[in-house]
């Protein structure tokens, strides 16, 4: 089997699995100095956009296309390419379609979507100026598009709102939820969906601490919260999006309200995927390859599920024990180091909390 991968930045996460399955790998990348270009069987440097990858796919007569894109802006072009290539050439593209990307790439449209399908989300309003604010402080101010905490402010006073509007003409204003931050991956392909275990990302803060600076754990264990509710709600969202690939969803749980709130959903690989893999043994990026190969199976995933305790810790530059080859595989490791130098993180797993604490002490 021959698969075209689009984008090299995440390719080292799956290279070991591609080789294990004996798949011929073709990769397109727009940056000739990008990382991981030495790993696939063939590499083609193409202009930005999806026309280059499409032409390579046709020229190389690939069996499927797997975009490995972890940022939002290219996703709509990927979705349009998917619909064209699948309809005209019959080549499966394992990615979200146009409707799903349009609903999830804009936070305002996502809010409207939640309301339409009956999923609870924090009270919000669209502000065209500070004088329109009716919600009580504190509030969260966001732009419709953006990821990774970009252009987000926790406003505690009207002065904060005025400051925000010095840079923006409009804002999505949302009630600040004091509680637990939760992330969950849902895998979907050809009408089948499975919600993996939820991950705990820490408590909300008025300072707006970035998720990369928090210690995260799996599975999510928050007093008063039923993880089955998180999985059921995430499944409902994914099924109504009716698309393929990875859905990563962020929720907040308010103990005060005893309410789970949906925050946003992304149709791309996400930052908690290592924790999910460590916790349950299912690697979402590898599952994209199974989808491409026609081997994605809910029964198979159920049979392979593990029940581990895991944690992810920011370490800056890792200086602990060496990782076994392949370094990105939890099949041969009880920990994985990931992230760029200076911002590295260690994700570790164990069969019990006590064993996990011992492992973390050894690694850090």
């Amino acid at each position: 089997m021959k698969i075209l991968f689009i984008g090299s930045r995440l390719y080292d996460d799956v290279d070991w699995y591609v080789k294990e399955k004996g798949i011929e790998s073709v990769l397109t990348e727009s940056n000739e100095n990008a990382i991981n270009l030495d790993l696939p069987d063939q590499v083609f440097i193409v202009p930005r956009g999806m026309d280059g990858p499409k032409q390579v796919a046709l020229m190389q007569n690939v069996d499927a296309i797997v975009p490995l894109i972890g940022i939002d802006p290219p996703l709509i072009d990927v979705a349009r390419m998917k619909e064209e290539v699948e309809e005209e050439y019959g080549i499966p593209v394992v990615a979200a379609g146009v409707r799903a990307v349009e609903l999830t790439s804009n936070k305002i449209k996502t809010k409207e979507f939640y309301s339409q399908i009956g999923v609870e989300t924090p009270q919000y309003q669209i502000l065209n100026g500070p004088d329109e604010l009716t919600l009580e402080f504190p509030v969260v101010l966001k732009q419709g598009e953006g990821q990774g905490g970009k252009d987000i402010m926790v406003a505690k006073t009207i002065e904060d709102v005025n400051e925000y509007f010095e840079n923006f003409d409009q804002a999505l204003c949302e009630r600040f939820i004091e509680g637990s931050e939760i992330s969950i991956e849902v895998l979907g392909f050809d009408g089948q969906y499975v919600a993996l275990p939820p991950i705990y990302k820490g408590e909300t803060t008025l300072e707006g601490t970035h998720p990369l600076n928090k210690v995260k754990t799996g599975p999510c264990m928050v007093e008063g919260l039923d993880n089955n509710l998180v999985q059921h709600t995430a499944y409902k969202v994914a099924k109504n999006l009716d698309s393929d690939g990875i859905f990563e969803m962020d929720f907040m749980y308010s103990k005060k309200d005893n309410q789970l709130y949906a925050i946003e959903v992304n149709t791309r690989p996400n930052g908690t995927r290592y924790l999910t893999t460590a916790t349950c043994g299912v690697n979402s990026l590898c599952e994209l390859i199974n989808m491409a190969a026609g081997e994605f199976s809910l029964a198979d995933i159920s049979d392979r599920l593990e029940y581990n305790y895991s944690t992810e810790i920011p370490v800056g530059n890792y200086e602990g024990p060496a990782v076994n080859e392949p370094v990105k595989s939890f099949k041969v490791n009880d920990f994985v180091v990931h992230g760029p130098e200076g911002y590295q993180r260690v994700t570790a797993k164990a069969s019990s909390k006590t064993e996990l604490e011992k492992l973390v002490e050894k690694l850090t």
Side-chain angles (χ1 to χ4, degrees):
M1 181 173 197
K2 184 188 286 190
I3 295 178
L4 171 66
F5 296 91
I6 303 176
S8 69
R9 188 175 69 85
L10 305 182
Y11 185 77
D12 59 332
D13 277 16
V14 298
D15 179 64
W16 65 273
Y17 191 67
V18 171
K19 289 180 168 60
E20 181 180 287
K21 292 185 71 66
I23 292 170
E24 183 178 350
S25 55
V26 181
L27 185 141
T28 60
E29 172 58 58
S30 60
N31 177 8
E32 62 182 11
N33 298 312
I35 61 173
N36 302 324
L37 296 182
D38 58 325
L39 299 178
D41 295 317
Q42 295 187 75
V43 173
F44 294 85
I45 302 301
V46 297
R48 289 186 180 276
M50 289 301 117
D51 188 60
K54 181 184 74 173
Q55 296 305 323
V56 170
L58 298 177
M59 176 182 67
Q60 288 292 312
N61 194 29
V62 301
D63 298 297
I65 300 173
V66 177
L68 294 175
I69 296 173
I71 57 175
D72 290 341
L75 296 181
I76 189 63
D77 290 333
V78 171
R80 290 171 181 147
M81 181 270 291
K82 168 188 172 74
E83 296 193 355
E84 176 189 351
V85 167
E86 289 185 343
E87 182 177 344
E88 295 188 14
Y89 304 102
I91 302 172
V93 180
V94 184
V98 171
R99 174 180 173 270
V101 173
E102 287 179 342
L103 286 174
T104 59
S105 61
N106 184 288
K107 294 179 177 64
I108 298 172
K109 288 185 178 179
T110 305
K111 288 280 194 183
E112 294 169 348
F113 171 66
Y114 286 149
S115 297
Q116 290 168 5
I117 65 173
V119 169
E120 192 72 26
T121 189
Q123 184 182 3
Y124 72 98
Q125 61 179 131
I126 310 302
L127 298 183
N128 295 301
D131 57 319
E132 295 182 359
L133 178 64
T134 59
L135 297 178
E136 294 184 4
F137 290 108
V139 294
V140 182
L141 301 174
K142 306 176 180 180
Q143 291 301 291
E145 298 179 355
Q147 70 182 83
K150 184 176 182 293
D151 300 330
I152 294 179
M153 172 190 276
V154 179
K156 306 167 199 173
T157 65
I158 192 63
E159 286 75 24
D160 291 339
V161 180
N162 287 330
E163 179 184 338
Y164 191 83
F165 272 89
E166 290 176 3
N167 299 306
F168 302 101
D169 297 324
Q170 189 181 75
L172 169 61
C173 179
E174 186 178 81
R175 175 192 164 207
F176 176 81
I177 302 298
E178 183 179 355
S180 306
E181 298 183 56
I182 300 150
S183 223
I184 184 171
E185 288 183 289
V186 180
L187 302 174
F189 188 68
D190 196 25
Q192 299 184 88
Y193 301 92
V194 58
L196 300 177
I199 300 300
Y200 172 68
K201 299 201 298 183
E203 299 298 296
T204 57
T205 65
L206 289 173
E207 291 72 33
T209 304
H210 195 283
L212 292 182
N213 298 321
K214 294 182 178 181
V215 174
K216 308 178 187 73
T217 58
C220 177
M221 289 182 287
V222 174
E223 183 182 355
L225 175 63
D226 182 356
N227 281 347
N228 289 325
L229 173 63
V230 183
Q231 291 178 296
H232 174 78
T233 307
Y235 175 89
K236 179 178 181 179
V237 172
K239 189 167 182 61
N240 278 278
L241 285 171
D242 188 26
S243 198
D244 298 334
I246 299 170
F247 303 89
E248 186 262 343
M249 302 178 203
D250 291 332
F251 291 91
M252 298 282 192
Y253 174 69
S254 168
K255 187 175 181 180
K256 177 183 175 182
D257 301 342
N258 189 27
Q259 179 64 56
L260 181 71
Y261 295 100
I263 304 299
E264 63 180 63
V265 52
N266 300 300
T267 55
R268 53 171 168 76
N270 65 91
T272 57
R273 64 186 183 276
Y274 296 101
L275 266 172
T276 302
T277 306
T279 303
C280 71
V282 177
N283 184 318
S284 57
L285 291 188
C286 293
E287 289 305 317
L288 295 181
I289 295 168
N290 289 339
M291 293 173 192
E295 298 174 1
F296 178 72
S297 163
L298 301 187
D300 178 58
I301 288 176
S302 179
D303 288 343
R304 288 188 284 116
L305 279 178
E306 300 174 6
Y307 300 91
N308 302 314
Y309 292 90
S310 66
T311 188
E312 183 176 295
I313 304 170
V315 293
N317 288 311
Y318 177 71
E319 299 176 351
V323 188
N324 296 319
E325 293 285 345
V327 297
K328 292 295 184 72
S329 170
F330 280 103
K331 291 177 68 173
V332 294
N333 290 295
D334 53 11
F335 71 98
V336 164
V337 180
H338 50 100
E341 285 190 18
Y343 300 92
Q344 288 183 320
R345 287 161 282 160
V346 174
T347 301
K349 70 169 185 174
S351 58
S352 70
K353 290 183 181 180
T354 302
E355 291 301 314
L356 182 61
E357 289 170 359
K358 291 179 182 177
L359 177 58
V360 169
E361 185 176 351
K362 181 178 76 172
L363 298 175
T364 58

